[in-house]
Amino acid sequence: MLQEGAHGKWTVSSSDESTEEVSDNEKPSTSSLSHAAQGRASAPQYPCSEARKAAHKRKASPLKFIDKGFPTERQPVEKQRHGQEGSGWCLSSSDEEPEDKEKQVHKVTVKEEKNNSPEEHPPDFHQKNELLGNQKAEEWCGAPSEAQDTWDLLNGGNPFRFFLTKVRGIEQSYNSGALHIKGEQFNYCIDVEWLVKQYPQEFRKKPLLIVHGEKRESKAELLAQARPYENISFCQAKLDIAFGTHHTKMMLLLYEEGLRVVIHTSNLISEDWHQKTQGIWISPLYPRLPQGATDSAGESETNFKSDLISYLAAYNSPALKEWIDNIQEHDLSETRVYLLGSTPGRYQGIDKEKWGHLRLRKLLREGASSVAAQESWPIVGQFSSIGSMGADESKWLCSEFQDSLVATGASGTALPKCAVPIHLVYPTVDNVRQSLEGYPAGGSLPYSLQTAQKQLWLHSYFHKWSAEVSGRSHAMPHIKTYMRPSPDFQKIAWFLVTSANLSKAAWGALEKNGTQLMIRSYELGVLFLPSAFTEADTSAKSEIFPLTVQ
C-alpha cells in the first residue's frame, strides 16, 4: 500500500504478441534464467523488436566498408520543394507495428520534486561510434550552456507543456528548452538496470510497478532483469487479440505535493534518449483535492481526468486500482489537452467512439475549427513504423482513417476527401545513413520489405524527414505526430503527439460493415485543440511546434 510521500511507484508498459494470461501482480522470478544472461554483448537484454536487436548487433560489430560513391562527410540535408519531395517538420519519431513487441506505462512516487542539474559534457563528434556503442545514459545529460532549470521548464511560459528530448551531437543551442530522462522518467522497450540508474541514488529502492505485455521468453528476460531489485513488481497488460502490443508510454508520478502525468514517445532504454527525436507532454503538478470532494471534482474542460481513469480501468487489473484512486483524489482541472487512447478489443455502439481513430474523429467534430475544412488544410502524419494497410489506399488510409483525420466542427462545410492532401513523413535510407547513429538508427524504424511490397501505392504519399528549425534533421524520429496545418504551414488546426504509429493495430479498423471497431494494441497520446487554449497561447510565436517545409 502507498505510504504517502514516503516512496515512489512507477508503471511502465510493454507488450508481446501472444495471448497467454499472466497474474496481475508478479514478482521477479527467483529461478535461474541462464539463457537470459547469455549473449549480453551481442544483443540487448531488454525485450525488444527483432529490428532493434539486429541494429544493436550491427552497432556492436560494425562492418568496415568504404564506398567511394558516398561522401566521407555528412552533407547538409538537401532542400526539398514544397509539396513535392518532402514536407518535414521537427516533431517526429516512431517505432511500432503489429509484429513488433513494444511496451510500457510508468508510474512513480517520489518524496519531493527535485532538480538535479546535470553536469555538461560537450559531445565529441570524432568519437561518435564509441559513444553510440558504449556511452551510458548517466554519463551525459545533454545540458545546454545557460541551461534552463527543469523546474522553470515545467512551470514556465510553455502553455502547451510539450517538449522535445535533448539530443547528443547537435548544437547545444537546439537543446535549450528540451528535457532529458534525468529527473523525469518515461518509456517502451525496457532496460531495467539502465532505468534504475536514472533515479537519484536515494530513490533507487522505492517501489516500482512495471505494467507490461511480455510473454514467454521476453517475459522471462524482463523478470530476470528485475531479479536483483526487490522493490520492482509487475502488472500484466492482457493482449487478447493476436499481434497486439502494449505500446503506451506513460508515467504517473505521485508526490507529497501532488500528482503529475507524463505521456511521451521514448522507450526506457538509453538509445532512445540520446540521439533520436522524441516528444514529451508533462502535466501541471495536480494538487490533492480536499477530503470529502465529490467524484466529479477536479475535472478539466477536456474531461482529461475521467478519460484517464477510463483508460486505466480498461486494463481490468487490480494492480492499477490504487492509481485510479490516486487520480480520483487529485484536481486535474488545469489540464488543457485531450487524452486519446487505444485499448485492445472489439467495440460497438457508443463504445466505438471511446478509442482509436474514431475517438479522434469525435474530438475533432466537437472541438476542431471549421476553417480547416473550408480551406482544404492538409493532413501531415509522422511516425516510426508502418503496418499493413491493404492493397490500395481505399482499404483504410483514404477511407475510414482519413474520414477521422479530416473531421471538423459541425459548422464546417466538409470537402471531398480527395481535396485534402495527405503528407506522410518517414525517414529515407539517406536520412538514416546521414543520421547521428548511422545505419543502426534503422532498427527503430521497422517497415518490413514484405509489407512494403504489398502496398507500393503508399510511396506516393511519402516525404523525407527534415527538422532544421529544431536542429534535429540528423536525429532520427521515434516520435509520432499527426497534425492539420494551414496550406502555408503557418498555423495548426490541431496537433497530436502519441505512441500510435501508422497501423490498423494502433488506430483500429472497422469490421461488420462499419458497425464494429477492432483494435489490437494499447496506445496513448494527447491532442491539442485551439479551443482549449487562450488566444494569447495560440497566437504567440513560439518554438513549441516548429514546422518546417523545405
Side-chain angles (χ1 to χ4, degrees):
M1 293 300 292
L2 175 67
Q3 297 177 8
E4 183 176 349
H7 64 263
K9 290 189 178 179
W10 192 22
T11 65
V12 180
S13 343
S14 103
S15 67
D16 187 289
E17 297 176 359
S18 76
T19 55
E20 173 188 4
E21 303 245 342
V22 189
S23 61
D24 285 303
N25 275 309
E26 306 174 71
K27 297 299 292 184
S29 173
T30 56
S31 62
S32 175
L33 297 170
S34 59
H35 68 278
Q38 295 175 355
R40 178 171 294 273
S42 61
Q45 292 305 299
Y46 45 83
C48 201
S49 69
E50 292 305 315
R52 279 183 178 266
K53 290 179 179 178
H56 180 89
K57 291 179 181 179
R58 288 195 295 271
K59 185 181 295 186
S61 302
L63 294 175
K64 296 183 181 299
F65 174 74
I66 299 177
D67 188 336
K68 294 182 179 180
F70 285 154
T72 57
E73 295 182 0
R74 186 170 65 240
Q75 300 298 316
V77 177
E78 183 181 4
K79 291 288 184 180
Q80 301 172 337
R81 295 180 181 177
H82 178 72
Q84 292 185 4
E85 295 181 352
S87 51
W89 40 311
C90 67
L91 295 179
S92 321
S93 146
S94 72
D95 139 332
E96 81 170 58
E97 176 160 345
E99 297 101 287
D100 291 337
K101 302 174 181 179
E102 327 230 30
K103 351 287 178 192
Q104 290 129 349
V105 178
H106 323 325
K107 308 184 176 175
V108 131
T109 78
V110 248
K111 185 171 183 179
E112 60 181 356
E113 289 195 300
K114 290 186 177 181
N115 173 47
N116 297 320
S117 298
E119 181 179 349
E120 179 180 355
H121 294 270
D124 183 345
F125 292 94
H126 300 288
Q127 298 179 0
K128 186 183 74 169
N129 291 336
E130 289 82 355
L131 288 169
L132 287 174
N134 305 311
Q135 183 71 25
K136 296 295 184 180
E138 60 270 25
E139 294 175 356
W140 182 83
C141 294
S145 57
E146 301 182 12
Q148 288 176 274
D149 183 270
T150 300
W151 182 267
D152 291 337
L153 283 177
L154 299 183
N155 298 279
N158 181 343
F160 304 106
R161 309 192 64 82
F162 176 81
F163 304 89
L164 296 176
T165 55
K166 294 181 185 293
V167 172
R168 182 185 183 90
I170 65 175
E171 291 184 17
Q172 294 289 31
S173 61
Y174 290 120
N175 279 323
S176 178
L179 293 178
H180 185 68
I181 194 168
K182 277 282 192 193
E184 295 289 341
Q185 300 283 10
F186 308 58
N187 164 185
Y188 158 34
C189 292
I190 310 173
D191 182 341
V192 174
E193 181 181 3
W194 176 85
L195 173 59
V196 170
K197 288 181 179 178
Q198 304 318 301
Y199 287 97
Q201 187 72 39
E202 62 268 30
F203 297 126
R204 292 182 182 177
K205 294 185 178 180
K206 303 302 181 183
L208 170 63
L209 173 65
I210 298 178
V211 179
H212 70 97
E214 297 296 343
K215 306 293 174 90
R216 304 185 182 97
E217 292 84 0
S218 293
K219 175 187 168 185
E221 291 175 8
L222 184 62
L223 297 180
Q225 286 186 57
R227 192 169 54 203
Y229 308 99
E230 296 181 356
N231 56 307
I232 297 179
S233 59
F234 293 90
C235 171
Q236 177 74 43
K238 295 179 175 61
L239 293 160
D240 296 328
I241 301 179
F243 306 111
T245 64
H246 188 282
H247 199 242
T248 292
K249 299 160 179 62
M250 177 175 68
M251 175 169 58
L252 302 181
L253 297 163
L254 186 61
Y255 305 94
E256 286 183 342
E257 299 85 359
L259 173 75
R260 197 185 291 280
V261 179
V262 178
I263 296 173
H264 59 104
T265 65
S266 303
N267 294 297
L268 290 177
I269 57 177
S270 62
E271 293 95 321
D272 271 26
W273 287 94
H274 291 284
Q275 293 191 308
K276 298 187 188 301
T277 301
Q278 306 277 14
I280 309 169
W281 176 81
I282 302 180
S283 78
L285 183 62
Y286 300 129
R288 186 175 293 274
L289 289 166
Q291 288 188 344
T294 64
D295 289 344
S296 60
E299 183 59 278
S300 69
E301 293 184 2
T302 62
N303 294 313
F304 185 88
K305 182 175 183 177
S306 58
D307 289 335
L308 180 57
I309 289 174
S310 293
Y311 177 79
L312 294 179
Y315 285 81
N316 194 27
S317 169
L320 297 179
K321 176 61 167 61
E322 179 181 354
W323 283 101
I324 292 175
D325 292 342
N326 286 331
I327 294 168
Q328 189 67 65
E329 294 169 0
H330 286 80
D331 182 357
L332 278 62
S333 61
E334 292 301 311
T335 313
R336 295 156 82 179
V337 296
Y338 294 83
L339 192 72
L340 198 160
S342 292
T343 59
R346 289 179 166 86
Y347 304 99
Q348 298 179 342
I350 60 174
D351 288 341
K352 284 197 308 178
E353 295 184 327
K354 289 183 64 176
W355 315 110
H357 74 78
L358 292 187
R359 163 70 172 169
L360 176 60
R361 185 183 303 185
K362 181 176 185 291
L363 291 174
L364 294 180
R365 283 178 174 171
E366 292 175 348
S369 171
S370 62
V371 69
Q374 293 170 0
E375 297 186 20
S376 186
W377 292 20
I379 297 295
V380 179
Q382 172 280 311
F383 34 83
S384 61
S385 175
I386 303 173
S388 177
M389 286 171 280
D392 59 65
E393 59 190 16
S394 69
K395 295 297 188 287
W396 184 76
L397 178 68
C398 293
S399 54
E400 60 181 272
F401 190 52
Q402 186 176 10
D403 283 342
S404 293
L405 296 175
V406 302
T408 56
S411 60
T413 302
L415 293 173
K417 283 187 297 182
C418 60
V420 180
I422 297 179
H423 305 305
L424 302 179
V425 179
Y426 195 70
T428 65
V429 172
D430 202 51
N431 278 150
V432 175
R433 179 181 70 84
Q434 297 186 73
S435 72
L436 295 169
E437 300 171 273
Y439 283 122
S444 298
L445 300 166
Y447 183 25
S448 72
L449 180 62
Q450 181 180 11
T451 300
Q453 290 176 336
K454 293 179 180 178
Q455 50 193 37
L456 296 177
W457 55 267
L458 185 62
H459 295 183
S460 64
Y461 294 91
F462 282 162
H463 298 269
K464 68 181 182 180
W465 168 258
S466 176
E468 292 297 289
V469 170
S470 63
R472 285 163 169 75
S473 289
H474 300 294
M476 289 299 92
H478 186 263
I479 188 175
K480 297 87 168 137
T481 53
Y482 302 81
M483 69 190 324
R484 194 151 190 202
S486 60
D488 61 2
F489 287 82
Q490 298 301 307
K491 299 178 181 179
I492 303 177
W494 55 265
F495 175 85
L496 170 69
V497 59
T498 176
S499 63
N501 283 298
L502 188 66
S503 72
K504 293 188 288 185
W507 286 98
L510 291 171
E511 299 176 330
K512 296 185 177 180
N513 294 321
T515 62
Q516 178 173 284
L517 181 71
M518 188 271 284
I519 298 176
R520 298 179 186 273
S521 299
Y522 292 90
E523 307 283 356
L524 202 61
V526 291
L527 175 67
F528 299 79
L529 292 178
S531 58
F533 294 86
T534 66
E535 184 176 349
D537 293 333
T538 56
S539 62
K541 181 175 178 58
S542 75
E543 296 300 314
I544 303 303
F545 303 133
L547 179 66
T548 61
V549 179
Q550 302 175 334

